[in-house]
Amino acid sequence: MKNVMGLVFANIYDSSLGQLTNKRTQASLPYGGRYRQIDFTLSNMANAGIRHICIVTQYNFQSLMNHIGSGEEWDLELAENGLEFITPYSMGESHTFRGKLDAIYTASASHLERSKEEYIILADAAVICSINLEEVVHAHIASGKDVTVVVKAGIANGEKQLDLGVKLDADGEIADMAVDFAASKDYLASMGMFIMRKDLLLSSARACVSHNRFRFEREFILQDWLDNKISVGAFECRHVALFNESPVEYFRNNLAIIRRVVRHDLYREGLPIYTKVRDQVPTYYGENSEVDDCIVADGCKLLGAASNSVLFRGVKLSTGASVKNCVVMSNCEIGIGAELEYCILDKDVKISAGKKLIGTMEHPVILNRGDVV
Amino acid sequence: MTFQKKRCVAMLLAGGQGSRLLVLTENTAKPAVPFGGKYRIIDFPLSNCVNSGIDTVGILTQYQPLELNEYIGNGQPWGLNRSHGGVQVLPPYARSKKSEWYKGTANAIYQNLAFISRYDPDNVLILSGDHIYRMDYAKMIRFHEEHDSDVTIAVRQVPIEEASRFGIMNTNPDGSIYEFEEKPKQPKSNNASMGIYVFKWSILKKFLTEDEENPDSENDFGKNVIPAILNAGHKLYAYDFEGYWKDVGTISSLWEANMDLLGTDPEFNLYGDGTAPIFARNYALPASYIDSHSRNIDCLISEGCEIYGTIRHSVVSTGCKVGKDTVIEDSVIMPNVVIEDGVILRNAIVGENCVVRSGAVVGGAFRDGQARQIAVIGKDHVIEVNQVVKPGEVI
């Protein structure tokens, strides 16, 4: 797959994730006990042998850069290509990108044109999945289509707003395409993943931006498809794909990996998910700990009770404390006898002894990084 | 290529066969034996080096080096992938006139004097690759320099009745050594050598060269080189170390050292005070899953595990699966072990990548007053359905 490069957008749903993305990009949201969301995107690409990835990020990217570093965990610390960050400030033209197309257009001269790869995969870090991108690229080339969009069934429900939804006919050809639309169940949701020739992307971005069209899905894919300028095909992902586009989805999808079917589909044999290494000691389970149906990372000290929860690295759970249906991020400390239900604790939160916080599945209590209760 | 001068170069002796670890070192050098859930023994001295500000480390390997070499790689996990210095694995190699294996600890360093010379250090730190401890070598080197010592030897106080098992340093009140006795029958003191030495580079070079020329020498630091330096009238000092230290050269000491990690206030705290982490090569594994049927009582469980059974007072390493109705007690499970349903494991060490099939019974309880018998299963073994491995049995 030396002929394919990756382009990852790090900030796509920042605004819809509320306080969770106050100080980080959506891509660097913690997930699954020890990961950041972008780990899945980058690992999918690395596992397919992609050796050139550009990450487009606009703001709040300090934690993202810290996490990814030189990209060595994904074997992207290379003499040639490897990993590059594209930020608006580095271009000297505008201070924020006006849309994906603007970012592509601004980055084209500096990063995209001179690289040798023929194909490009665009992705974001909003959808958690383990997908074999080699298969997707082969299917794209075999289809003869200009653009392939990766889609997932079962996401559209008539309520959830889709960035891009497609409806297929009996032959699997796209019959309808709609953007920013709460499509009905018979539509498949775009996973934000597109494959095309790089030269097509660059020429389209130039044409669009010169006509003040900046929105990738609406003003390029849909518009050019309607105008018969491009042919678009769909590749249906049959594996687990978790869309984290709102705090509630994020909450639900974090708890989802406790389920064996979901976990085993995200962590598949031969498709490892890489992440930044933090040297943490193994987790200690105390004499009276009671841990049931939990995902537990390294470095925790568990003396109390936890059930149906995800415990990130370095969580301290005191004696008599109880955590139920919670997402507890790194280095949180839960005091003696505290009781938590349906909560998201961002990093470094401290809950003092005896405190009680109870949310619901649809309205979890969300605590900000470093909060002390 | 030019080499930067280094104040101190560390040489880590990792060539020992470790035959007292039985099957665990059949295909693995002792320093590469897994320890504490996610570490290998060599992570401890290597991390100590890094945490002490030493960035140039030579690792002397000889016996079964493949796995160890692979594990060390370019030294990145320890931050030792440096443009100047870093970590280098130093196997014995063929020279133009003769080639030979490392004959002893001193000879191993002698054969690599050229490596040390390139950095022209003030001091050379000699370490063993088979001890579990956390130590700030910088403090010891400062002590060495402040006393203008020629050789400084780290010592710890052992119970006097055990002193005859160690190299004993007899010291003056100022800490200078007047006598060294290797495993004395009638020990005069209880200052046991930990096998950690700081040498002035000039002294090390001189005495290793002389030792090599002496056909009667066994080329061993404790037996030959240290006594020779002492007899020549040089200044040797003992440096007291008070923290946790364990030689994990035997099955029982390896088991004990693992058990020392358990409890809310463990004998040896892997985390320490947070300022001197133990680094290890990490693999891409998800966080562990702990099922509702599991019970984890006073144990360490690392990442990448799926736990359905009961684990009591044990260490379970990365990537293990423990089935339903399985009971693990007082045991050490090394990485990537699969233990199926309904297995009973007591007082056992299970080597890497083993599979223990349903209904097997490994090891057993022991009665008070009896010596603890540790059952050991070597790397890559399969224990069949309902198979019984007796207490103390080694497979």
Side-chain angles (χ1 to χ4, degrees), chain A residues 32-35 72-73 258 260 263-264 267 272-274 277-298 301 303 313, chain B residues 36-39 76-77 81 262-264 270-271 277-280 282-292 294-303 306 308:
Chain A
R34 64 170 294 189
Y35 300 103
E72 63 189 357
E73 313 294 352
I258 297 170
R260 188 188 170 95
R263 205 169 64 241
H264 284 203
Y267 308 131
I273 308 299
Y274 301 96
V277 166
R278 307 244 178 225
D279 281 276
Q280 295 266 13
V281 302
T283 283
Y284 178 70
Y285 296 78
E287 203 68 56
N288 298 310
S289 69
E290 270 181 64
V291 180
D292 295 329
D293 278 327
C294 285
I295 298 294
V296 183
D298 268 354
K301 191 171 181 181
L303 307 180
R313 289 162 172 177
Chain B
K38 61 177 289 190
Y39 306 94
Q76 182 268 331
N81 49 339
L262 301 173
T264 41
L270 281 170
Y271 180 74
I278 307 301
F279 303 99
N282 282 258
Y283 300 93
L285 293 170
S288 287
Y289 169 69
I290 312 294
D291 188 70
S292 57
S294 74
R295 283 286 286 133
N296 304 318
I297 304 148
D298 188 25
C299 58
L300 285 174
I301 301 177
S302 216
E303 284 182 334
E306 301 228 340
Y308 294 85

Coordinates of all heavy atoms in Angstrom, one line a residue, chain A residues 32-35 72-73 258 260 263-264 267 272-274 277-298 301 303 313, chain B residues 36-39 76-77 81 262-264 270-271 277-280 282-292 294-303 306 308:
Chain A
G32 N -11.8 3.6 25.4 CA -11.5 2.2 25.6 C -10.5 1.9 26.7 O -9.8 0.8 26.6
G33 N -10.3 2.8 27.6 CA -9.4 2.5 28.7 C -7.9 2.9 28.5 O -7.3 3.3 29.5
R34 N -7.5 2.8 27.3 CA -6.1 3.3 27.1 C -5.8 3.9 25.8 O -4.7 4.2 25.4 CB -5.1 2.1 27.3 CG -5.3 1.0 26.3 CD -4.1 0.0 26.4 NE -2.9 0.6 26.0 CZ -1.7 -0.1 25.9 NH1 -1.7 -1.4 26.1 NH2 -0.6 0.5 25.5
Y35 N -6.8 4.2 25.0 CA -6.6 4.7 23.7 C -7.1 6.2 23.6 O -7.8 6.7 24.4 CB -7.4 3.9 22.6 CG -6.9 2.5 22.6 CD1 -7.7 1.5 23.1 CD2 -5.7 2.1 22.0 CE1 -7.2 0.1 23.1 CE2 -5.2 0.8 22.0 CZ -6.0 -0.2 22.6 OH -5.6 -1.5 22.6
E72 N 6.1 7.1 16.1 CA 6.9 5.9 16.1 C 6.0 4.6 16.5 O 6.3 3.5 16.0 CB 8.1 6.0 17.0 CG 7.7 6.2 18.4 CD 8.9 6.6 19.3 OE1 10.0 6.6 18.8 OE2 8.7 6.8 20.5
E73 N 5.0 4.9 17.3 CA 4.2 3.7 17.7 C 3.5 3.1 16.5 O 3.1 1.9 16.6 CB 3.1 4.2 18.7 CG 3.6 5.0 19.9 CD 4.5 4.3 20.8 OE1 4.7 3.1 20.7 OE2 5.1 5.0 21.7
I258 N -17.4 -3.2 26.6 CA -17.4 -4.2 27.7 C -18.0 -5.5 27.1 O -17.7 -6.6 27.5 CB -18.2 -3.6 28.9 CG1 -17.5 -2.4 29.5 CG2 -18.4 -4.7 30.0 CD1 -18.3 -1.7 30.5
R260 N -18.5 -8.5 24.8 CA -17.5 -9.3 24.1 C -17.6 -9.2 22.6 O -16.5 -9.0 22.0 CB -17.8 -10.8 24.5 CG -16.8 -11.8 24.1 CD -17.3 -13.2 24.4 NE -16.4 -14.1 23.7 CZ -15.4 -14.7 24.3 NH1 -15.1 -14.4 25.6 NH2 -14.6 -15.5 23.7
R263 N -15.9 -5.9 21.6 CA -14.5 -5.9 22.0 C -13.7 -6.7 21.0 O -12.7 -6.3 20.4 CB -14.4 -6.4 23.4 CG -13.1 -6.0 24.1 CD -13.2 -6.4 25.6 NE -13.2 -7.8 25.8 CZ -14.2 -8.5 26.4 NH1 -15.3 -7.8 26.8 NH2 -14.2 -9.8 26.6
H264 N -14.2 -7.9 20.7 CA -13.5 -8.8 19.9 C -13.5 -8.4 18.4 O -12.6 -8.8 17.7 CB -14.0 -10.3 20.0 CG -13.5 -10.9 21.3 ND1 -13.4 -12.2 21.5 CD2 -13.1 -10.3 22.5 CE1 -13.0 -12.5 22.7 NE2 -12.8 -11.3 23.3
Y267 N -10.7 -5.4 18.5 CA -9.4 -5.9 18.7 C -9.2 -7.2 18.0 O -9.3 -8.3 18.6 CB -9.1 -6.0 20.2 CG -9.4 -4.8 21.0 CD1 -10.1 -4.9 22.1 CD2 -8.9 -3.6 20.6 CE1 -10.4 -3.8 22.9 CE2 -9.2 -2.4 21.3 CZ -10.0 -2.5 22.4 OH -10.3 -1.4 23.2
P272 N -3.6 -5.0 15.2 CA -3.4 -4.4 16.5 C -3.8 -2.9 16.5 O -3.6 -2.3 15.4 CB -1.9 -4.6 16.8 CG -1.3 -4.9 15.5 CD -2.3 -5.5 14.6
I273 N -4.2 -2.4 17.6 CA -4.5 -1.0 17.7 C -3.3 -0.4 18.5 O -3.1 -0.8 19.7 CB -5.8 -0.7 18.4 CG1 -7.0 -1.4 17.8 CG2 -6.1 0.8 18.5 CD1 -7.2 -1.1 16.3
Y274 N -2.5 0.5 17.9 CA -1.4 1.0 18.6 C -1.7 2.3 19.3 O -2.7 3.0 18.9 CB -0.3 1.3 17.5 CG 0.1 0.1 16.8 CD1 -0.4 -0.1 15.5 CD2 1.1 -0.7 17.3 CE1 0.0 -1.3 14.8 CE2 1.5 -1.9 16.6 CZ 0.9 -2.1 15.3 OH 1.3 -3.2 14.6
V277 N 2.9 4.8 24.3 CA 3.2 4.0 25.5 C 3.3 4.9 26.7 O 4.0 5.9 26.6 CB 4.5 3.2 25.2 CG1 5.1 2.7 26.5 CG2 4.3 2.1 24.2
R278 N 2.7 4.5 27.8 CA 2.9 5.1 29.1 C 3.4 4.0 30.0 O 2.7 3.0 30.1 CB 1.6 5.7 29.6 CG 0.9 6.6 28.7 CD 0.9 8.0 29.2 NE 0.3 8.9 28.3 CZ 0.7 10.1 27.9 NH1 1.9 10.6 28.5 NH2 0.1 10.9 27.1
D279 N 4.5 4.2 30.6 CA 5.0 3.1 31.5 C 4.2 3.1 32.8 O 4.6 3.8 33.7 CB 6.5 3.3 31.7 CG 7.2 2.7 30.5 OD1 7.4 1.5 30.4 OD2 7.5 3.5 29.5
Q280 N 3.2 2.3 32.9 CA 2.4 2.2 34.0 C 2.6 0.8 34.6 O 2.8 -0.2 33.9 CB 0.9 2.3 33.7 CG 0.6 3.7 33.2 CD 0.1 4.6 34.3 OE1 0.2 4.3 35.5 NE2 -0.5 5.7 33.9
V281 N 2.5 0.7 35.9 CA 2.6 -0.6 36.6 C 1.3 -1.4 36.3 O 0.3 -0.8 36.0 CB 2.9 -0.5 38.1 CG1 4.2 0.3 38.3 CG2 1.7 0.2 38.8
P282 N 1.3 -2.8 36.5 CA 0.1 -3.5 36.4 C -0.9 -3.0 37.5 O -0.5 -2.5 38.5 CB 0.5 -5.0 36.7 CG 2.0 -5.0 36.4 CD 2.5 -3.6 36.7
T283 N -2.2 -3.3 37.2 CA -3.2 -2.9 38.1 C -3.3 -3.8 39.4 O -3.2 -5.0 39.2 CB -4.6 -2.8 37.4 OG1 -4.6 -1.7 36.6 CG2 -5.7 -2.8 38.4
Y284 N -3.4 -3.2 40.5 CA -3.5 -3.9 41.8 C -5.0 -4.0 42.2 O -5.7 -3.0 42.2 CB -2.7 -3.3 42.9 CG -2.8 -4.0 44.2 CD1 -2.3 -5.3 44.3 CD2 -3.6 -3.5 45.2 CE1 -2.4 -6.0 45.5 CE2 -3.7 -4.2 46.4 CZ -3.2 -5.4 46.6 OH -3.3 -6.1 47.7
Y285 N -5.4 -5.3 42.5 CA -6.8 -5.5 43.0 C -6.6 -5.9 44.5 O -6.0 -6.8 44.8 CB -7.4 -6.7 42.3 CG -7.6 -6.4 40.8 CD1 -6.6 -6.5 39.9 CD2 -8.9 -6.0 40.3 CE1 -6.7 -6.2 38.5 CE2 -9.1 -5.8 38.9 CZ -8.0 -5.8 38.1 OH -8.2 -5.5 36.8
G286 N -7.3 -5.1 45.3 CA -7.2 -5.3 46.8 C -8.0 -6.5 47.3 O -8.8 -7.0 46.6
E287 N -7.7 -6.8 48.5 CA -8.3 -7.9 49.3 C -9.9 -7.8 49.1 O -10.5 -8.9 49.0 CB -8.0 -7.6 50.8 CG -8.0 -8.8 51.7 CD -7.0 -9.9 51.3 OE1 -5.7 -9.5 51.3 OE2 -7.3 -11.0 51.1
N288 N -10.5 -6.6 49.2 CA -11.9 -6.6 49.2 C -12.5 -5.9 47.9 O -13.6 -5.4 47.9 CB -12.4 -5.8 50.4 CG -12.0 -6.5 51.7 OD1 -12.3 -7.7 51.8 ND2 -11.4 -5.7 52.6
S289 N -11.7 -5.9 46.8 CA -12.2 -5.3 45.6 C -13.2 -6.2 45.0 O -13.2 -7.4 45.2 CB -11.0 -5.1 44.6 OG -10.6 -6.4 44.2
E290 N -14.2 -5.5 44.3 CA -15.2 -6.3 43.5 C -15.3 -5.6 42.2 O -15.9 -4.6 42.1 CB -16.5 -6.2 44.3 CG -16.7 -7.3 45.3 CD -18.0 -7.2 46.0 OE1 -19.0 -7.4 45.2 OE2 -18.1 -7.0 47.2
V291 N -14.7 -6.3 41.2 CA -14.7 -5.7 39.9 C -15.5 -6.6 38.9 O -15.1 -7.8 38.7 CB -13.3 -5.4 39.4 CG1 -13.3 -4.8 38.0 CG2 -12.6 -4.5 40.4
D292 N -16.6 -6.2 38.4 CA -17.4 -7.0 37.5 C -17.7 -6.3 36.2 O -18.1 -5.2 36.2 CB -18.8 -7.2 38.2 CG -18.7 -8.0 39.5 OD1 -17.8 -8.8 39.6 OD2 -19.5 -7.8 40.4
D293 N -17.5 -7.1 35.1 CA -17.8 -6.5 33.8 C -17.2 -5.2 33.6 O -17.9 -4.2 33.2 CB -19.3 -6.5 33.6 CG -19.8 -7.8 33.2 OD1 -19.1 -8.6 32.5 OD2 -21.0 -8.1 33.5
C294 N -15.9 -5.1 33.7 CA -15.2 -3.8 33.5 C -14.0 -3.9 32.6 O -13.5 -5.0 32.4 CB -14.6 -3.3 34.9 SG -15.9 -2.6 36.0
I295 N -13.7 -2.8 31.9 CA -12.5 -2.7 31.2 C -11.5 -2.0 32.1 O -11.8 -0.9 32.5 CB -12.7 -1.9 29.9 CG1 -13.7 -2.7 29.0 CG2 -11.4 -1.7 29.1 CD1 -13.3 -4.0 28.5
V296 N -10.4 -2.5 32.3 CA -9.4 -1.9 33.3 C -8.1 -1.8 32.6 O -7.5 -2.8 32.1 CB -9.3 -2.8 34.5 CG1 -8.4 -2.1 35.6 CG2 -10.7 -3.1 35.2
A297 N -7.5 -0.6 32.6 CA -6.2 -0.4 32.1 C -5.1 -0.6 33.2 O -5.5 -0.9 34.3 CB -6.1 1.0 31.5
D298 N -3.9 -0.4 32.8 CA -2.8 -0.6 33.8 C -2.7 0.6 34.8 O -3.3 1.7 34.5 CB -1.4 -0.6 33.0 CG -1.0 -2.0 32.7 OD1 -1.7 -3.0 33.1 OD2 0.0 -2.2 32.0
K301 N -5.3 1.3 41.1 CA -5.3 0.6 42.4 C -6.7 0.5 42.8 O -7.4 1.5 43.1 CB -4.5 1.5 43.4 CG -4.2 0.8 44.7 CD -3.2 1.6 45.5 CE -2.9 0.9 46.8 NZ -1.9 1.7 47.6
L303 N -9.5 -0.8 45.3 CA -9.8 -1.4 46.6 C -11.3 -1.5 46.8 O -11.8 -2.1 47.7 CB -9.2 -0.5 47.7 CG -7.7 -0.3 47.5 CD1 -7.1 0.6 48.7 CD2 -6.9 -1.6 47.5
R313 N -6.2 4.4 32.7 CA -4.9 4.2 33.5 C -4.9 5.0 34.8 O -5.3 6.2 34.8 CB -3.7 4.6 32.6 CG -3.6 3.6 31.5 CD -2.7 4.1 30.4 NE -2.4 3.1 29.4 CZ -1.7 3.4 28.4 NH1 -1.2 4.6 28.1 NH2 -1.4 2.4 27.5
Chain B
G36 N 7.0 -9.6 37.3 CA 6.1 -8.6 37.8 C 5.0 -8.2 36.8 O 4.5 -7.0 36.9
G37 N 4.6 -9.1 36.0 CA 3.4 -8.8 35.2 C 3.6 -8.2 33.8 O 3.0 -8.5 32.8
K38 N 4.6 -7.3 33.7 CA 4.8 -6.7 32.3 C 6.3 -6.4 32.1 O 6.6 -5.8 31.1 CB 4.0 -5.5 32.2 CG 4.2 -4.4 33.2 CD 3.4 -3.1 32.9 CE 3.9 -2.4 31.6 NZ 3.3 -1.1 31.5
Y39 N 7.1 -6.8 33.0 CA 8.6 -6.5 32.9 C 9.4 -7.7 32.6 O 8.9 -8.8 32.6 CB 9.1 -5.9 34.2 CG 8.2 -4.7 34.7 CD1 7.2 -4.9 35.6 CD2 8.5 -3.4 34.2 CE1 6.4 -3.8 36.0 CE2 7.7 -2.4 34.6 CZ 6.6 -2.6 35.4 OH 5.9 -1.5 35.8
Q76 N 14.7 2.1 22.5 CA 13.7 3.2 22.6 C 12.8 3.1 23.8 O 12.6 4.2 24.4 CB 12.9 3.1 21.3 CG 11.8 4.2 21.1 CD 10.5 3.7 21.7 OE1 10.2 2.5 21.6 NE2 9.7 4.6 22.2
P77 N 12.3 2.0 24.3 CA 11.5 2.0 25.5 C 12.1 2.6 26.7 O 11.4 3.1 27.6 CB 11.2 0.5 25.7 CG 11.3 -0.1 24.4 CD 12.5 0.6 23.7
N81 N 17.7 5.2 22.8 CA 18.0 5.3 21.4 C 18.6 6.7 21.1 O 18.0 7.6 20.8 CB 16.8 5.1 20.5 CG 15.6 5.9 20.9 OD1 15.5 6.4 22.1 ND2 14.7 6.1 20.0
L262 N 2.9 -7.7 46.0 CA 1.5 -7.7 46.3 C 1.3 -7.0 47.6 O 2.2 -6.7 48.4 CB 1.0 -9.1 46.4 CG 1.1 -9.9 45.0 CD1 0.8 -11.3 45.2 CD2 0.3 -9.2 43.9
G263 N 0.0 -6.7 47.9 CA -0.4 -6.1 49.1 C -0.6 -4.6 48.9 O -0.1 -4.0 47.9
T264 N -1.3 -3.9 49.8 CA -1.5 -2.5 49.6 C -0.3 -1.7 50.0 O -0.1 -0.6 49.5 CB -2.7 -2.0 50.5 OG1 -2.6 -2.6 51.8 CG2 -4.0 -2.3 49.9
L270 N 6.4 -1.3 42.8 CA 6.8 -1.1 41.4 C 6.7 0.4 41.0 O 7.5 0.9 40.3 CB 5.9 -1.9 40.5 CG 6.2 -3.4 40.4 CD1 5.1 -4.1 39.6 CD2 7.6 -3.6 39.7
Y271 N 5.7 1.1 41.6 CA 5.4 2.5 41.2 C 6.4 3.4 42.0 O 6.9 4.4 41.4 CB 4.0 2.9 41.6 CG 3.7 4.3 41.3 CD1 3.4 4.7 40.0 CD2 3.6 5.2 42.4 CE1 3.1 6.0 39.7 CE2 3.2 6.5 42.1 CZ 3.0 6.9 40.8 OH 2.7 8.2 40.5
P277 N 10.3 5.6 37.3 CA 9.5 4.5 36.8 C 10.4 3.4 36.2 O 11.5 3.6 35.8 CB 8.8 5.2 35.6 CG 9.5 6.5 35.3 CD 10.2 6.9 36.5
I278 N 9.9 2.2 36.3 CA 10.5 1.1 35.6 C 10.0 1.0 34.2 O 8.8 0.9 34.0 CB 10.2 -0.2 36.4 CG1 10.6 -0.1 37.8 CG2 11.0 -1.4 35.7 CD1 12.0 0.2 38.2
F279 N 10.8 1.2 33.2 CA 10.4 1.2 31.8 C 10.4 -0.2 31.3 O 11.2 -1.1 31.8 CB 11.3 2.1 31.0 CG 11.4 3.5 31.5 CD1 12.4 3.9 32.2 CD2 10.4 4.4 31.1 CE1 12.5 5.2 32.7 CE2 10.4 5.7 31.6 CZ 11.5 6.1 32.4
A280 N 9.6 -0.5 30.3 CA 9.6 -1.8 29.7 C 9.1 -1.7 28.3 O 8.5 -0.7 27.9 CB 8.6 -2.8 30.5
N282 N 6.6 -2.2 25.7 CA 5.1 -2.4 25.7 C 4.7 -2.9 24.4 O 5.2 -2.5 23.3 CB 4.4 -1.1 26.1 CG 4.5 -0.8 27.5 OD1 3.6 -1.0 28.3 ND2 5.7 -0.3 28.0
Y283 N 3.7 -3.8 24.4 CA 3.1 -4.3 23.2 C 1.7 -3.7 23.0 O 1.1 -3.3 24.0 CB 3.1 -5.8 23.2 CG 4.5 -6.3 23.3 CD1 5.1 -6.6 24.6 CD2 5.4 -6.4 22.2 CE1 6.4 -7.0 24.7 CE2 6.7 -6.8 22.3 CZ 7.2 -7.1 23.6 OH 8.5 -7.5 23.7
A284 N 1.2 -3.7 21.8 CA -0.1 -3.1 21.5 C -1.2 -4.1 22.0 O -1.7 -4.9 21.3 CB -0.3 -2.9 20.0
L285 N -1.6 -3.9 23.2 CA -2.7 -4.7 23.8 C -3.8 -3.8 24.4 O -3.5 -2.8 25.0 CB -2.2 -5.6 24.9 CG -1.2 -6.7 24.5 CD1 -0.6 -7.4 25.7 CD2 -1.9 -7.8 23.6
P286 N -5.0 -4.2 24.2 CA -6.1 -3.4 24.8 C -6.1 -3.5 26.4 O -5.4 -4.4 26.9 CB -7.4 -4.0 24.2 CG -7.0 -5.3 23.8 CD -5.6 -5.3 23.5
A287 N -6.9 -2.6 27.0 CA -7.1 -2.7 28.5 C -7.7 -4.1 28.8 O -8.3 -4.7 27.9 CB -7.9 -1.6 28.9
S288 N -7.6 -4.6 30.0 CA -8.1 -5.9 30.3 C -9.6 -5.9 30.5 O -10.2 -4.9 30.9 CB -7.4 -6.4 31.6 OG -6.1 -6.7 31.3
Y289 N -10.2 -7.1 30.3 CA -11.6 -7.2 30.6 C -11.7 -8.1 31.8 O -11.2 -9.2 31.9 CB -12.3 -7.9 29.4 CG -13.7 -8.3 29.8 CD1 -14.7 -7.4 30.0 CD2 -14.0 -9.7 29.9 CE1 -16.0 -7.8 30.4 CE2 -15.3 -10.1 30.3 CZ -16.3 -9.1 30.5 OH -17.5 -9.5 30.9
I290 N -12.5 -7.6 32.8 CA -12.7 -8.4 34.0 C -14.2 -8.8 34.1 O -15.1 -7.9 34.2 CB -12.4 -7.5 35.3 CG1 -11.0 -6.9 35.1 CG2 -12.5 -8.4 36.5 CD1 -9.8 -7.8 35.1
D291 N -14.5 -10.0 34.0 CA -15.9 -10.5 33.9 C -16.6 -10.5 35.2 O -16.0 -10.5 36.3 CB -15.9 -11.9 33.3 CG -17.3 -12.4 33.0 OD1 -17.9 -11.9 32.0 OD2 -17.8 -13.3 33.7
S292 N -17.9 -10.6 35.2 CA -18.7 -10.5 36.4 C -18.5 -11.8 37.3 O -18.7 -11.8 38.4 CB -20.2 -10.3 36.2 OG -20.6 -11.3 35.3
S294 N -15.6 -13.2 37.8 CA -14.3 -13.2 38.3 C -14.2 -12.7 39.8 O -15.1 -11.9 40.2 CB -13.4 -12.3 37.5 OG -13.7 -11.0 37.7
R295 N -13.2 -13.1 40.5 CA -12.9 -12.5 41.8 C -11.4 -12.3 41.8 O -10.6 -13.2 41.6 CB -13.3 -13.4 42.9 CG -14.8 -13.5 43.2 CD -15.3 -12.2 44.0 NE -14.9 -12.2 45.4 CZ -14.4 -11.1 45.9 NH1 -14.1 -10.0 45.2 NH2 -14.1 -11.1 47.2
N296 N -11.0 -11.0 42.0 CA -9.6 -10.7 42.0 C -9.2 -10.2 43.4 O -9.7 -9.2 43.8 CB -9.2 -9.7 41.0 CG -9.7 -10.1 39.6 OD1 -9.5 -11.2 39.2 ND2 -10.2 -9.2 38.9
I297 N -8.4 -11.0 44.1 CA -8.1 -10.7 45.5 C -6.7 -10.5 45.7 O -5.9 -11.5 45.5 CB -8.7 -11.8 46.4 CG1 -10.2 -12.0 46.2 CG2 -8.5 -11.5 47.9 CD1 -10.7 -13.3 46.4
D298 N -6.2 -9.4 46.1 CA -4.8 -9.1 46.4 C -3.9 -9.6 45.2 O -3.1 -10.6 45.4 CB -4.4 -9.8 47.7 CG -3.0 -9.4 48.1 OD1 -2.5 -8.3 47.7 OD2 -2.3 -10.1 48.9
C299 N -4.1 -9.1 44.0 CA -3.3 -9.6 42.9 C -3.0 -8.4 42.0 O -3.6 -7.4 42.0 CB -4.1 -10.7 42.2 SG -5.6 -10.2 41.6
L300 N -2.0 -8.7 41.1 CA -1.7 -7.7 40.0 C -2.1 -8.4 38.7 O -1.8 -9.6 38.5 CB -0.1 -7.5 40.0 CG 0.5 -6.6 41.1 CD1 2.0 -6.6 40.9 CD2 -0.1 -5.2 41.0
I301 N -2.8 -7.6 37.9 CA -3.2 -8.1 36.6 C -2.8 -7.0 35.6 O -3.1 -5.8 35.7 CB -4.7 -8.4 36.5 CG1 -5.1 -9.4 37.6 CG2 -5.1 -8.8 35.1 CD1 -6.6 -9.7 37.6
S302 N -2.1 -7.4 34.5 CA -1.6 -6.5 33.6 C -2.6 -6.3 32.4 O -3.6 -6.9 32.4 CB -0.2 -7.0 33.1 OG 0.6 -5.9 32.8
E303 N -2.2 -5.5 31.4 CA -3.1 -5.2 30.3 C -3.2 -6.4 29.3 O -2.4 -7.3 29.3 CB -2.7 -3.9 29.6 CG -3.1 -2.7 30.4 CD -2.8 -1.4 29.7 OE1 -1.8 -1.4 28.9 OE2 -3.4 -0.4 30.0
E306 N -8.1 -11.3 29.7 CA -9.5 -11.5 29.9 C -9.7 -12.4 31.1 O -9.2 -13.6 31.0 CB -10.1 -12.2 28.6 CG -9.9 -11.4 27.4 CD -11.1 -11.2 26.5 OE1 -12.1 -12.0 26.7 OE2 -11.2 -10.3 25.7
Y308 N -12.0 -14.4 33.7 CA -13.3 -14.9 34.1 C -13.3 -15.7 35.4 O -14.3 -16.1 36.0 CB -13.9 -15.9 33.0 CG -14.2 -15.2 31.7 CD1 -13.1 -15.0 30.8 CD2 -15.4 -14.7 31.4 CE1 -13.4 -14.3 29.6 CE2 -15.7 -14.0 30.2 CZ -14.7 -13.8 29.3 OH -14.9 -13.1 28.1

